[in-house]
Amino acid sequence: MKISGYAAIAPKTLLSPYSFERHEPQDHDIVIDVHYCGICHSDIHQINDEWGGNSKFPMVPGHEITGKVASVGSKVTRFKKGDNVGVGCMVDSCRKCDSCNKGLEQYCTGGGPILTYNDEQTIQGVKIPTQGGYSNRIVVNQDFVLRIPSNIPLDKAAPLLCAGITLYSPLIRWNATHGKRVAIIGLGGLGHMGVKIAHALGAEVTVLSHTLKKQNDGMKMGADRFIATSDLSVLNSLEGYFDLIINTVSSNLDLNRYLRLLALDGVMVLVGIPENDDRIGAANLINSRRSLAGSAIGGIAETQEMLNFCSKNEITSDIETIKIDYVNEAYKRVLKSDVKYRFVIDIFNSFKHKQVG
């Protein structure tokens, strides 16, 4: 199956038109016409080979994918042609380990989840590279395809498949509901989803941002308070206050300063991955029996649960829609935090009148 896309040919190169082939659909596969694909900061990390030198090239990024079913395999039972669907960060897993059996495919121990791009997938005994949603079509097993509720537009649904579930999962796991004091560090693509979801869950929500530049936006999204972390006197006054802090920032912060903001038995959850490791002071955990945790996206069932929750509560991502030929400029703006709040590539119209390669 001939595919048109955009790829990084080598580490730290600009994305450019790239033609490649996807595997022929198997009995349980779905062929999806990609309409939209969000830009995640991890796309930039991986094309720059910033996470341990494991990036595979040429690389077609993109794991916030929405579109319509173009065709289905002979044994597909859950979807039909024309359905609104999505694909997130995974396209398969071992399906046999304890994590997979618990619906936690993102923590698969049988070789790890098969990522939507920058990974390898075995099809009929042959290993082939996975390539992501910066492309006009994708082929995915029905078990790793999500149904997009009818009241969520496909463009605004795309970031939910990574940014949305990345915040929903820890908020549910650590019971961010009525009576809980929740802080979200950073109001970017991830953080703005955390504010909306935590507010809908009934928690008291505080945004911790370097400046007050985004204060009006944060309050409109459901934040109860917006704190500039550059004001140390205000930040210090919050020591021992929060039950849950979610750090969405992918740059290195002084985590010890934020740990001190946790109340007794409070938890700080990391969802952003900075390039360098952080140093943690043991006393900041021992005092008040605090915990430091991490969380990675969610399983397929929980991701569908998140989409249904967003549908019920009318939650979508705030987006700026672009064409694929603007992607390199968009990457520069992501690094400058110059987007409100997620870039989404209009894949369908970008490739509608031309073929790449």
Side-chain angles (χ1 to χ4, degrees), residues 71-211:
S71 63
V72 300
S74 61
K75 295 183 180 179
V76 169
T77 58
R78 297 175 50 227
F79 299 94
K80 66 182 186 302
K81 183 177 180 179
D83 283 350
N84 287 354
V85 294
V87 178
C89 301
M90 305 175 288
V91 291
D92 209 344
S93 68
C94 81
R95 309 182 188 222
K96 299 176 182 178
C97 68
D98 287 345
S99 295
C100 288
N101 288 332
K102 293 175 181 176
L104 299 170
E105 298 93 347
Q106 75 273 33
Y107 303 122
C108 173
T109 58
I114 306 301
L115 302 180
T116 305
Y117 71 92
N118 195 26
D119 206 341
E120 288 184 334
Q121 186 175 20
T122 301
I123 304 294
Q124 293 187 327
V126 179
K127 284 190 174 183
I128 59 174
T130 59
Q131 301 287 13
Y134 295 13
S135 59
N136 63 344
R137 275 192 166 184
I138 191 168
V139 181
V140 183
N141 184 285
Q142 68 169 344
D143 293 339
F144 283 77
V145 175
L146 289 309
R147 186 175 300 280
I148 306 298
S150 59
N151 67 328
I152 303 181
L154 287 178
D155 54 351
K156 295 184 177 181
L160 300 180
L161 298 170
C162 176
I165 186 58
T166 295
L167 272 296
Y168 180 85
S169 187
L171 287 168
I172 294 296
R173 169 69 177 82
W174 282 279
N175 194 30
T177 186
H178 296 278
K180 291 296 182 73
R181 296 169 172 176
V182 175
I184 306 292
I185 302 176
L187 191 71
L190 293 175
H192 91 288
M193 292 308 310
V195 171
K196 292 183 179 188
I197 294 170
H199 173 74
L201 288 168
E204 177 191 295
V205 186
T206 299
V207 175
L208 301 176
S209 183
H210 184 64
T211 71

Side-chain angles (χ1 to χ4, degrees), residues 23-52:
H23 68 271
E24 286 300 313
Q26 307 299 297
D27 290 344
H28 294 92
D29 285 345
I30 294 174
V31 180
I32 300 168
D33 283 331
V34 179
H35 283 224
Y36 298 95
C37 186
I39 293 178
C40 179
H41 202 148
S42 63
D43 299 343
I44 302 173
H45 283 301
Q46 294 195 82
I47 69 163
N48 288 333
D49 204 13
E50 293 173 347
W51 286 346

Side-chain angles (χ1 to χ4, degrees), residues 305-324:
E305 177 186 298
M306 176 275 305
L307 288 168
N308 297 340
F309 176 88
C310 288
S311 172
K312 179 181 178 180
N313 291 278
E314 299 182 342
I315 295 172
T316 60
S317 181
D318 288 20
I319 64 171
E320 181 176 336
T321 307
I322 62 169
K323 293 290 184 65
I324 189 68

